Amino acid sequence: MSSTTNGAQPLLRAVGLSKHFPLESGLLARLRGAGARTIKAVEAVSLDVYAGQTLAIVGESGSGKSTLGRLLLRLMQPTTGQVLYQGENIFSMKRARLRAFRRQAQIILQDPYGSLNPRMRVGRIIREPLDIYRESTPAERDKRVDELLERVGLNSAQARAYPSELSGGQRQRVGIAAALALSPQIIIADEPTSSLDVSVQAQTLNLLAELQQDFNLTYIFITHDLGVVQHFSDRVAVMYLGKIVEEAPTDALFAAPQHPYTQVLFSAIPLPDPSRRVNWDLPKGEPPSPLDPPSGCHFHPRCPKVMTECSAIVPELEETAPGQRVACLLYGDGEN
Ligand code: SF4
């Protein structure tokens, strides 16, 4: 487990979290028993998220980062492991506690058009969480919708619009307003700007930064955009084929990435311009399938520093510097 921040306890903590998707069911799965084929989308992930901070989870497509985000909100059940919110396992919460957790933990999705109900007017979309939680009186809910619209840079007249009548950036602001409606503590933002134009991306990120400041929000940013990570996050967890291979404070990671995968990724970032995008094409081709991951270190077929033992030994995530953890056989036992 990573070290705490100034002795603070994490607001959210994943402990040994795994999610395997079975590829076979029924008789075939029973016949194969323990040998039934699965995709290990998330494997033994442990990490801490601190109040008021931003944790970025980065990785290529298929790294498991979005599945991890959904597990952290209990939007799906894990195969093994726990998620502790203020010390309580969210997967053991009964109805009333779960309802309280759900209002504290919200999500903003990548595609604001796909995630907003096209048949609902904007005002109703933002008001819906308040209605579900029967928050205050109907008149106060209407007032809250107006406040939220204003806070995200829209106006009250736009409450009557349908999502299709708004621009992409405005739709994302509606998604942000709906996520804010219940005054949550934690927001998971899954590629929140990747479907937006570059200029609109910057405006949206600035808005999210202001909201974090104003409401002491805790963000978990799921992204493949390392420019956004550098600009926005306090800590970074790098995922590869379902596992965290490196986790560190953002400054330390950008100054001296330690895992060979992180080093290759970060070598492609043009610093310090956060508007530039990383090239995710690694030297040795596409990532292997999570259905049939390589033995030992999953990164070994693509690793520029591969050693003979790397195909046989699974590296553990170990602390290499205060707050920095790396899963690589180059580190530990004096090797480096
Ligand atoms: Fe590369 Fe070996 Fe380290 Fe894996 S364990 S990242 S293959 S050096």
Side-chain angles (χ1 to χ4, degrees):
M1 188 62 58
S2 61
S3 59
T4 57
T5 301
N6 297 327
Q9 290 302 308
L11 181 62
L12 199 70
R13 165 173 277 189
V15 184
L17 200 57
S18 297
K19 180 65 181 179
H20 301 172
F21 294 103
L23 286 177
E24 291 150 348
S25 59
L27 181 61
L28 190 58
R30 284 201 295 280
L31 286 173
R32 287 193 197 265
R37 297 200 310 160
T38 58
I39 290 182
K40 294 180 178 175
V42 172
E43 186 66 1
V45 164
S46 295
L47 53 77
D48 295 340
V49 186
Y50 293 94
Q53 292 198 350
T54 299
L55 171 74
I57 301 174
V58 302
E60 292 167 279
S61 174
S63 62
K65 58 190 190 301
S66 289
T67 303
L68 175 59
R70 278 152 182 73
L71 289 169
L72 293 175
L73 288 186
R74 197 177 148 170
L75 297 179
M76 57 173 64
Q77 288 290 323
T79 305
T80 58
Q82 299 181 336
V83 173
L84 306 176
Y85 169 67
Q86 295 179 330
E88 185 178 0
N89 184 10
I90 64 170
F91 298 109
S92 304
M93 286 178 175
K94 299 286 184 272
R95 196 181 162 128
R97 282 293 302 139
L98 183 60
R99 191 173 158 85
F101 169 71
R102 291 217 185 283
R103 69 173 296 156
Q104 292 296 341
Q106 299 286 322
I107 190 165
I108 298 170
L109 295 166
Q110 172 182 0
D111 173 10
Y113 198 59
S115 61
L116 302 179
N117 186 335
R119 289 188 291 277
M120 281 168 71
R121 294 183 194 273
V122 161
R124 206 175 138 212
I125 290 171
I126 298 172
R127 196 185 139 125
E128 193 175 39
L130 301 169
D131 290 338
I132 290 170
Y133 278 80
R134 296 194 183 87
E135 192 80 0
S136 60
T137 65
E140 284 167 338
R141 288 176 216 163
D142 287 339
K143 187 162 169 269
R144 174 86 174 131
V145 169
D146 284 347
E147 286 168 4
L148 286 162
L149 281 166
E150 188 183 339
R151 188 63 196 84
V152 300
L154 299 172
N155 61 59
S156 52
Q158 286 168 310
R160 296 197 52 74
Y162 288 99
S164 60
E165 296 169 320
L166 302 180
S167 68
Q170 288 171 331
R171 284 195 289 266
Q172 191 57 291
R173 285 169 190 264
V174 173
I176 293 168
L180 282 177
L182 294 167
S183 305
Q185 282 186 303
I186 302 170
I187 291 182
I188 294 191
D190 190 353
E191 304 277 12
T193 58
S194 61
S195 65
L196 306 176
D197 293 341
V198 171
S199 61
V200 181
Q201 284 182 8
Q203 291 167 12
T204 307
L205 288 169
N206 287 339
L207 172 64
L208 288 169
E210 283 171 23
L211 295 171
Q212 182 172 41
Q213 196 80 24
D214 291 354
F215 302 120
N216 193 34
L217 291 168
T218 304
Y219 286 143
I220 299 171
F221 251 66
I222 297 166
T223 183
H224 66 278
D225 188 331
L226 297 182
V228 170
V229 171
Q230 187 189 23
H231 193 57
F232 207 78
S233 65
D234 299 289
R235 296 186 60 77
V236 187
V238 181
M239 288 191 74
Y240 187 78
L241 280 187
K243 295 184 173 188
I244 293 178
V245 296
E246 184 161 5
E247 188 202 350
T250 305
D251 290 350
L253 200 71
F254 278 81
Q258 295 186 345
H259 193 282
Y261 177 60
T262 323
Q263 289 172 349
V264 174
L265 290 184
F266 283 34
S267 69
I269 310 175
L271 296 174
D273 180 355
S275 69
R276 301 284 299 276
R277 297 294 170 259
V278 67
N279 172 13
W280 286 86
D281 296 332
L282 290 163
K284 293 192 181 176
E286 295 297 310
S289 165
L291 178 58
D292 187 20
S295 60
C297 171
H298 290 347
F299 187 53
H300 84 259
R302 304 167 83 194
C303 180
K305 297 182 178 173
V306 65
M307 305 175 289
T308 41
E309 61 267 41
C310 296
S311 59
I313 301 174
V314 178
E316 298 293 326
L317 199 57
E318 292 178 4
E319 192 158 70
T320 55
Q324 188 156 10
R325 300 186 300 159
V326 181
C328 173
L329 299 176
L330 289 167
Y331 303 88
D333 298 326
E335 293 176 282
N336 192 351

